[in-house]
Amino acid sequence: MDFGKRLAALRKDRKLTQAALAEKVGCHVTMIRRYESDEVQPTLEIIRKLSRALSVSADTLVFDEAERNPDEELRLQFEAVSQFSPEEKEVARVLLESLILKHDSTRFARNR
């Protein structure tokens, strides 16, 4: 779902009109219409204000749910890692960052 549809759906879920959301955000209703039609993209500051007005995270406004969550194949492993001690979590974080860097460098080398 694109940003405009997500924004409109969240606004409607909260039973707000475009005018009411515009008032909460501190912008003109025309801008809300333009955001919802994907005619323009909001600035970071407006995204922050929209997320506060709608009581959602900025991630909820910007990303589809599947874009920010781990693959189903890795979900159980990440749930297990959440139970680790802080020291174990740090080791897991360093290992993951190393694997990501290796992946990115291999991909970059292939594209040269």
Side-chain angles (χ1 to χ4, degrees):
M1 182 184 302
D2 57 17
F3 177 81
K5 287 181 182 157
R6 205 170 13 262
L7 176 61
L10 288 165
R11 175 183 58 76
K12 290 172 185 175
D13 284 347
R14 280 139 186 85
K15 297 181 180 18
L16 291 171
T17 63
Q18 288 177 331
L21 180 58
E23 187 175 321
K24 284 179 155 232
V25 171
C27 70
H28 196 275
V29 67
T30 303
M31 291 309 295
I32 300 298
R33 286 187 193 118
R34 293 178 78 193
Y35 298 145
E36 288 186 1
S37 67
D38 285 316
E39 194 176 316
V40 295
Q41 294 296 310
T43 64
L44 178 58
E45 184 58 28
I46 294 296
I47 290 172
R48 292 178 68 201
K49 289 178 179 182
L50 286 166
S51 68
R52 284 189 202 120
L54 296 168
S55 299
V56 297
S57 70
D59 277 3
T60 300
L61 277 172
V62 176
F63 296 101
D64 282 332
E65 193 173 315
E67 287 182 284
R68 297 293 295 179
N69 293 323
D71 289 344
E72 283 301 317
E73 295 173 351
L74 298 175
R75 187 173 305 280
L76 291 175
Q77 287 84 354
F78 281 108
E79 287 175 10
V81 168
S82 71
Q83 303 300 314
F84 285 9
S85 70
E87 295 81 19
E88 292 168 325
K89 284 181 183 178
E90 179 62 17
V91 170
R93 186 188 62 74
V94 169
L95 284 170
L96 282 171
E97 284 181 1
S98 299
L99 287 170
I100 292 166
L101 283 172
K102 179 182 179 290
H103 170 77
D104 288 347
S105 65
T106 302
R107 189 178 58 185
F108 176 74
R110 251 185 278 150
N111 292 333
R112 285 180 89 195

